[in-house]
Amino acid sequence: MSLLPHHSLSKNKFIYLFSQIFTHFAIHLFIISKMFNSIKSVFASPPKKEHPTIKKHQPVQTSYVSLPVIIPDNFLSLSTLEKPISNQPINWETSPIPENKGKYAIVLDHVLSPSECTTLISLAEQSVPLDNPTMRGEDGSAWMPALVNIGAGFEVLSPDYRRSDRIVWDTKEIVERLWKRIETVEEVKKDLEKVRGGMILGRRDKEAGREWEMVRVNERLRFLRYGVGDFFKPHCDAPFCEKDYLDPEGPVKTLFTVHLYLNDSKAEVGDEAELVGGATTIFSNDEKRRLDVNPKAGRVLIFQHNGVLHSGDDVKQGVKFSVRTDIIYRQLKEDGETKKDEEDKKSEEALKKWASEGVKK
């Protein structure tokens, strides 16, 4: 049906009128889309500058060096612990993820005081070499973009998967002081000294029934800074395996993550905190159900690498500071293997002696 009588509007006038209506419609649509994009940009991740030496999605071989840092003698000592450390194992059965029953995860509070958290961040910033552009941010600061490990000593910048800043500080002294505090919680010390089977080791080790003994805490601390819009998408922490420099005959690998939170969030302390978001979220395998561990200064979350799917939630306001490391284990040899190893060693020594005597003759 025609909107106007044929006799009241010529064909050319009709085309002109239609084009005018279409033009006005297009202009209004453009204005609305611009308004929508402006509103959207307020909530979207703010753009970050390009790093001068690290490009997106291009593997780079990384090597981290830490400057010596003067650490106060009483910093993180047991004598300066302000409050008793409280602990709360995650009860999977009453959580939204009951199928995680048997997986290890525990939350400790008051491991550090808020002022100790601030000092720890400052010490980490002092550890970054000034003359190494690959270890500094695009503005020359101590914080560089957090990379994703892809193995064989290579990492990649993948801001669509992981978006935050990082400092890598190798510090045996700080790690040992932190762990001395943590192991005052007898339950943690007992649970983590030795692990066998269950969900902790994975199917292959479970079937073998192998036992692993704690060697030490990884001295490599990875400090993380999340600004507004920063995140780390769902993932499981992978074990790091290597030859043990303390025992060259025995390989070691990490089995647990230790995550320390260095500032408060509104979800924990209310309006006195600036940080909104940034929880460590543990997911069901389909990512439809979740359990949040919110940042709180001095809080520590310890959980097993194997089968704990988690993410770093988007920061919506403020800045989140945290630091993570791992617990390193050595596989214990069974009695039969120990006896065989001793026999092999004796045979090897006898062969060397025979070869040496043969050379002398």
Side-chain angles (χ1 to χ4, degrees):
M1 180 183 296
S2 175
L3 295 176
L4 296 171
H6 287 286
H7 60 82
S8 63
L9 190 64
S10 69
K11 184 178 180 181
N12 290 338
K13 287 183 178 180
F14 179 80
I15 294 173
Y16 172 77
L17 181 59
F18 180 80
S19 66
Q20 289 291 99
I21 294 172
F22 180 80
T23 301
H24 282 288
F25 175 77
I27 291 171
H28 281 82
L29 186 63
F30 176 77
I31 293 171
I32 291 170
S33 67
K34 281 289 186 180
M35 291 173 62
F36 175 78
N37 287 334
S38 297
I39 295 170
K40 185 179 177 183
S41 66
V42 173
F43 300 98
S45 303
K48 288 192 174 182
K49 295 178 181 178
E50 289 281 335
H51 192 276
T53 59
I54 302 173
K55 305 302 179 185
K56 288 190 294 186
H57 310 303
Q58 293 183 9
V60 291
Q61 193 165 18
T62 51
S63 177
Y64 296 98
V65 178
S66 299
L67 293 176
V69 177
I70 298 174
I71 301 168
D73 291 338
N74 64 346
F75 181 62
L76 299 183
S77 66
L78 291 177
S79 62
T80 58
L81 190 60
E82 292 187 0
K83 296 180 180 179
I85 297 174
S86 63
N87 70 94
Q88 183 62 57
I90 292 180
N91 187 340
W92 297 113
E93 292 185 56
T94 59
S95 80
I97 320 171
E99 64 269 30
N100 272 10
K101 181 181 178 181
K103 296 179 181 179
Y104 188 86
I106 190 168
V107 177
L108 311 176
D109 280 324
H110 314 304
V111 178
L112 291 83
S113 68
S115 63
E116 287 174 331
C117 291
T118 302
T119 300
L120 188 57
I121 295 169
S122 175
L123 293 173
E125 291 176 336
Q126 295 173 42
S127 74
V128 181
L130 293 169
D131 57 351
N132 188 342
T134 62
M135 292 185 65
R136 304 193 72 84
E138 69 279 349
D139 56 356
S141 73
W143 296 90
M144 66 170 288
L147 306 179
V148 178
N149 185 14
I150 57 175
F154 284 85
E155 295 182 274
V156 67
L157 179 62
S158 183
D160 50 342
Y161 172 67
R162 180 182 196 180
R163 177 187 163 103
S164 62
D165 297 317
R166 182 175 69 176
I167 291 174
V168 177
W169 182 20
D170 292 334
T171 169
K172 183 179 178 182
E173 189 173 357
I174 289 292
V175 165
E176 287 180 346
R177 295 185 191 188
L178 282 170
W179 191 252
K180 280 183 181 179
R181 285 191 173 185
I182 291 172
E183 69 179 0
T184 60
V185 181
E186 285 297 325
E187 182 179 351
V188 174
K189 184 177 180 180
K190 180 182 176 182
D191 288 343
L192 299 180
E193 275 183 336
K194 291 182 181 179
V195 294
R196 176 194 288 271
M199 295 185 180
I200 292 173
L201 298 174
R203 182 169 296 175
R204 184 172 60 181
D205 287 310
K206 180 181 177 182
E207 290 173 351
R210 293 301 183 90
E211 190 173 39
W212 291 73
E213 181 180 46
M214 180 180 169
V215 179
R216 63 186 182 278
V217 179
N218 190 354
E219 65 188 41
R220 174 156 290 184
L221 295 177
R222 284 83 89 195
F223 287 78
L224 302 168
R225 182 181 69 178
Y226 291 79
V228 174
D230 287 354
F231 59 87
F232 197 163
K233 287 191 175 180
H235 62 283
C236 289
D237 292 341
F240 173 72
C241 306
E242 66 174 358
K243 279 282 188 180
D244 185 9
Y245 60 81
L246 297 178
D247 179 11
E249 295 181 0
V252 297
K253 73 174 179 179
T254 63
L255 296 177
F256 293 87
T257 296
V258 180
H259 200 110
L260 296 82
Y261 301 91
L262 301 178
N263 64 324
D264 289 323
S265 63
K266 283 186 183 292
E268 283 295 324
V269 303
D271 289 339
E272 63 185 83
E274 184 183 1
L275 174 62
V276 176
T280 298
T281 297
I282 302 175
F283 287 100
S284 58
N285 287 335
D286 59 7
E287 298 182 25
K288 292 182 178 179
R289 288 168 287 122
R290 56 187 286 164
L291 182 151
D292 290 342
V293 178
N294 291 301
K296 182 180 179 183
R299 171 171 287 175
V300 173
L301 169 65
I302 303 175
F303 59 94
Q304 66 184 64
H305 289 344
N306 181 53
V308 177
L309 181 66
H310 63 284
S311 71
D313 260 11
D314 293 40
V315 169
K316 299 176 182 178
Q317 178 182 306
V319 179
K320 169 190 171 184
F321 288 96
S322 64
V323 55
R324 63 149 295 191
T325 187
D326 322 90
I327 308 176
I328 299 174
Y329 286 78
R330 179 190 297 113
Q331 189 180 72
L332 294 178
K333 296 177 181 178
E334 296 182 352
D335 292 340
E337 287 183 317
T338 303
K339 185 177 180 180
K340 182 177 181 300
D341 289 343
E342 290 174 354
E343 292 173 352
D344 289 344
K345 189 173 182 179
K346 288 179 180 179
S347 299
E348 186 178 349
E349 289 174 352
L351 184 61
K352 287 180 180 179
K353 184 178 179 181
W354 175 82
S356 175
E357 289 174 351
V359 170
K360 289 178 181 179
K361 292 178 180 178

